[in-house]
Amino acid sequence: MPADASTLVRRAGTGDPRAVARLISMVENGSPALREITAELCAVLRGRPAARVIGLTGSPGVGKSTSTGMLVRLFRERGLRVGVLAVDPSSPFTGGALLGDRVRMQDHATDPEVFIRSMASRGHLGGLAWATPQALRVLDAAGCEVILVETVGVGQAEVEIASLADTTIVLLAPGMGDGVQAAKAGILEVADVFAVNKADREGVQATVRELRSMTALAEGPWRPPIVTTVASRGEGGEDLMRALDAHLRHLEESGELERRRLARAREEIETLAVTALRARLADVHGSAHLDTLAADVLAGRSDPYTAADTLLAALEGA
Amino acid sequence: MPADASTLVRRAGTGDPRAVARLISMVENGSPALREITAELCAVLRGRPAARVIGLTGSPGVGKSTSTGMLVRLFRERGLRVGVLAVDPSSPFTGGALLGDRVRMQDHATDPEVFIRSMASRGHLGGLAWATPQALRVLDAAGCEVILVETVGVGQAEVEIASLADTTIVLLAPGMGDGVQAAKAGILEVADVFAVNKADREGVQATVRELRSMTALAEGPWRPPIVTTVASRGEGGEDLMRALDAHLRHLEESGELERRRLARAREEIETLAVTALRARLADVHGSAHLDTLAADVLAGRSDPYTAADTLLAALEGA
């Protein structure tokens, strides 16, 4: 595998889409060659400006894929190479064959300057946190200057994505009352830009008004702008691009870009370290075997903290 | 705090709602007394049959809170003490004052046999996995015979909840096309029972048909039943209860109940051990300090795997 990994990275570096696809699959499947692949990718990227990473998140049905498609077109018009990473179980990209609805991105399917990859890392605890930075690195090494990360919102996943992106767009649609409710409870803290999509529908002004009263309370130097779009017809795309560019300038001028990227690297290192520790915990045998400890807790012979102590003591003794 | 913790647990054991509320807040805030509280709770629970835990999940807008309210009423009619844990940023319970919409659970607010608590553990990596089992233990110790856990679906959170519940209900509503798409991509693996709520709306038959063709492919001894409900009017509640009871019987007869609860205990112990290790990683200083390592990775002087190795080596040397 080693020679193969090195060759793949070199081919991905020249923009070979099949090498890119293969590498991202290896990332997703936790290939044993990942350590070497990552080192090779880091070598390729050394000294190069990093790709701009933009996250799109929102509830199902707000038009994330259509909006992603619109942004791909607008960044392509600037002559940039674009990567798309869909980490979204409801995405037509991720759903793949099951959904049979790849129409919306079909426009870009034959463009050699657009790389679209989906990751279905659901169900793996920490799967997203672990695999996404590595997949971003593959697209970056393939020369993507902009990478769009699409993820379904409301919940843990969106917070993780926000920590991966330079700029996070939170998408809403009018008439999805619960969407704004969810927003109130937490989306505000991750949104750098709000896009109210499907703005040809009734209720758009109410949604915008509600968002405006929320963002008015935002603390800190950046107040998230609110843009209205009809992504299916490409309307509002230029406004969205202006908002994204304004946020990028803010990030650069405030030093926040560097801070976010440092936090991202820190998170990735920590996740890799914790994953290694977790694997060691699973390897501990004897009386500290996790199954035995779990049975003790269930039967009331122990409590989970004491069991965790036993597990850690066995790890240190191993 | 020690004496206080012991008193609180004793008072919670007698069903004192203020003690229950206080303990769950301590769980949420990661109180340093948690270790002792957990040991006391385990002592209270020793030898008692564990509460039945039912998870409700689904996209925003499918009627999770209304369905939870309906189930509370039906379990109360059986004379059972009921706990509700809302881990859902879009829930009227969790959203609290921001939303001002607690109407739907108002019916039960004054019933001394119903304990309703919300947890807003968004944004904390692993926060849900860590706090929810402990909050369940508090409600169990307070004598709740059934505990309903409401969580917003589509994504990581719902998978975590599925691992906590004996039975997981996946809620859908007609005309939410993306809901079923999401379902296709992954909800099937967590659903023990499907409830199509808002069944007075157009499109209910199409949604049921689609689910039926999905569940027809389900492997294993249990095929998730599909129930239609109009929770706001209490319609379909008895059907849902029958489906829940059938699943409980299946769990008991197949030995799956014991397996699920063992897996839950295992997961909790592992999470506590990993959390402890994570805290130690954050404490490592010197040249292996995470900030220094992150800066090295960003500058291309190192790669994340090598940085993780350095961090772990420092941990072992510490």
Side-chain angles (χ1 to χ4, degrees):
Chain A
M1 183 70 71
D4 198 17
S6 172
T7 311
L8 273 174
V9 171
R10 195 177 41 72
R11 279 173 45 206
T14 66
D16 174 349
R18 282 170 56 194
V20 171
R22 180 77 199 291
L23 283 170
I24 293 183
S25 297
M26 289 169 86
V27 164
E28 255 198 299
N29 300 328
S31 157
L34 263 189
R35 168 182 283 269
E36 200 196 340
I37 289 172
T38 303
E40 301 257 4
L41 289 170
C42 286
V44 168
L45 291 168
R46 190 173 301 142
R48 258 170 45 181
R52 177 177 178 185
V53 181
I54 298 172
L56 288 98
T57 190
S59 299
V62 296
K64 286 183 295 300
S65 308
T66 324
S67 301
T68 303
M70 179 175 75
L71 287 175
V72 169
R73 183 174 54 74
L74 291 164
F75 279 114
R76 286 295 299 123
E77 285 174 10
R78 294 186 178 179
L80 299 175
R81 186 177 284 187
V82 183
V84 175
L85 201 59
V87 196
D88 176 353
S90 73
S91 165
F93 322 138
T94 311
L98 261 175
L99 301 168
D101 172 23
R102 289 169 166 272
V103 183
R104 285 173 280 188
M105 290 301 283
Q106 218 58 305
D107 307 348
H108 309 291
T110 54
D111 183 340
E113 297 295 311
V114 178
F115 295 80
I116 302 173
R117 289 300 297 175
S118 63
M119 304 219 305
S121 54
R122 295 180 73 263
H124 306 276
L125 252 177
L128 190 63
W130 178 77
T132 314
Q134 311 222 26
L136 289 176
R137 193 172 285 120
V138 173
L139 290 170
D140 199 351
C144 293
E145 291 150 294
V146 178
I147 304 175
L148 305 170
V149 185
E150 178 194 328
T151 179
V152 77
V154 204
Q156 199 64 33
E158 113 212 330
V159 179
E160 289 180 15
I161 282 304
S163 76
L164 288 170
D166 300 324
T167 299
T168 298
I169 307 171
V170 171
L171 281 161
L172 294 123
M176 298 187 70
D178 283 7
V180 180
Q181 287 191 357
K184 277 184 182 169
I187 285 180
L188 184 55
E189 65 198 70
V190 305
D192 299 308
V193 172
F194 283 105
V196 182
N197 190 34
K198 305 190 178 180
D200 50 347
R201 286 200 189 165
E202 213 174 320
V204 61
Q205 282 317 316
T207 304
V208 168
R209 220 178 302 121
E210 210 165 341
L211 283 172
R212 199 167 284 149
S213 66
M214 280 170 56
T215 56
L217 303 170
E219 287 170 16
W222 177 256
R223 181 185 297 184
I226 302 155
V227 176
T228 56
T229 56
V230 186
S232 60
R233 295 201 301 256
E235 289 172 25
E238 294 297 344
D239 290 343
L240 184 52
M241 292 292 276
R242 259 190 299 277
L244 294 174
D245 289 343
H247 187 249
L248 180 60
R249 268 196 311 279
H250 160 73
L251 289 175
E252 286 170 342
E253 287 166 7
S254 62
E256 178 69 16
L257 187 62
E258 182 73 7
R259 272 195 295 277
R260 286 192 182 196
R261 289 178 173 178
L262 263 176
R264 205 192 293 174
R266 220 162 38 221
E267 178 64 30
E268 186 182 12
I269 296 167
E270 205 200 23
T271 303
L272 287 173
V274 168
T275 304
L277 289 171
R278 211 182 258 274
R280 287 189 213 166
L281 285 181
D283 282 344
V284 170
H285 285 288
S287 65
H289 193 287
L290 198 46
D291 283 332
T292 316
L293 294 170
D296 286 348
V297 169
L298 261 201
R301 287 188 297 268
S302 179
D303 70 85
Y305 281 91
T306 306
D309 287 346
T310 311
L311 194 60
L312 289 171
L315 179 66
E316 276 150 21
Chain B
M1 184 69 72
D4 198 18
S6 171
T7 311
L8 273 175
V9 171
R10 196 178 38 75
R11 278 173 46 207
T14 66
D16 175 348
R18 283 171 53 194
V20 170
R22 179 78 200 289
L23 283 171
I24 293 183
S25 297
M26 290 170 85
V27 164
E28 255 198 298
N29 302 327
S31 157
L34 264 189
R35 168 182 284 268
E36 200 196 340
I37 289 172
T38 304
E40 301 256 4
L41 289 170
C42 286
V44 168
L45 291 168
R46 191 173 299 143
R48 255 167 52 177
R52 177 177 178 185
V53 181
I54 297 172
L56 288 97
T57 190
S59 299
V62 296
K64 285 185 295 299
S65 309
T66 324
S67 301
T68 303
M70 178 175 77
L71 288 176
V72 169
R73 184 174 55 72
L74 291 164
F75 279 114
R76 286 295 299 125
E77 286 174 11
R78 293 185 179 181
L80 299 176
R81 184 176 285 186
V82 183
V84 175
L85 201 59
V87 196
D88 177 353
S90 73
S91 166
F93 321 140
T94 312
L98 262 175
L99 301 168
D101 172 23
R102 289 170 165 272
V103 183
R104 285 172 279 187
M105 292 299 286
Q106 218 58 303
D107 307 349
H108 308 291
T110 55
D111 183 339
E113 298 294 312
V114 178
F115 295 81
I116 300 174
R117 289 299 298 173
S118 63
M119 303 219 305
S121 53
R122 295 181 71 263
H124 305 277
L125 252 177
L128 189 64
W130 178 78
T132 314
Q134 310 221 26
L136 288 175
R137 193 172 285 119
V138 173
L139 291 170
D140 199 351
C144 293
E145 291 151 292
V146 178
I147 304 174
L148 304 170
V149 184
E150 178 194 327
T151 180
V152 77
V154 205
Q156 199 65 32
E158 113 212 330
V159 179
E160 290 179 14
I161 282 303
S163 77
L164 289 169
D166 300 325
T167 300
T168 299
I169 307 172
V170 171
L171 281 161
L172 295 123
M176 299 189 69
D178 282 7
V180 179
Q181 287 192 356
K184 278 183 181 171
I187 286 181
L188 185 56
E189 66 197 70
V190 305
D192 299 309
V193 172
F194 283 104
V196 182
N197 190 35
K198 306 192 177 179
D200 50 348
R201 286 199 188 165
E202 212 173 320
V204 61
Q205 282 318 314
T207 304
V208 168
R209 221 177 300 123
E210 210 165 342
L211 283 171
R212 198 166 285 148
S213 65
M214 278 169 57
T215 55
L217 304 169
E219 286 169 16
W222 177 257
R223 181 185 298 186
I226 302 155
V227 176
T228 56
T229 57
V230 186
S232 59
R233 296 202 300 257
E235 290 173 25
E238 295 298 344
D239 290 343
L240 184 53
M241 293 291 275
R242 261 192 297 277
L244 293 174
D245 290 343
H247 187 247
L248 181 60
R249 269 196 311 280
H250 159 73
L251 288 175
E252 286 170 342
E253 288 165 7
S254 63
E256 178 69 16
L257 187 62
E258 182 73 7
R259 271 194 296 277
R260 286 193 182 195
R261 290 178 172 178
L262 262 176
R264 205 192 293 174
R266 219 161 40 218
E267 178 63 30
E268 186 182 13
I269 296 166
E270 206 202 22
T271 301
L272 286 173
V274 168
T275 303
L277 288 171
R278 209 183 259 273
R280 287 189 213 166
L281 284 182
D283 283 343
V284 170
H285 284 287
S287 66
H289 194 286
L290 199 45
D291 283 332
T292 315
L293 295 170
D296 286 346
V297 168
L298 261 201
R301 287 189 297 269
S302 178
D303 70 86
Y305 281 92
T306 306
D309 287 346
T310 311
L311 194 62
L312 290 170
L315 179 66
E316 278 151 19

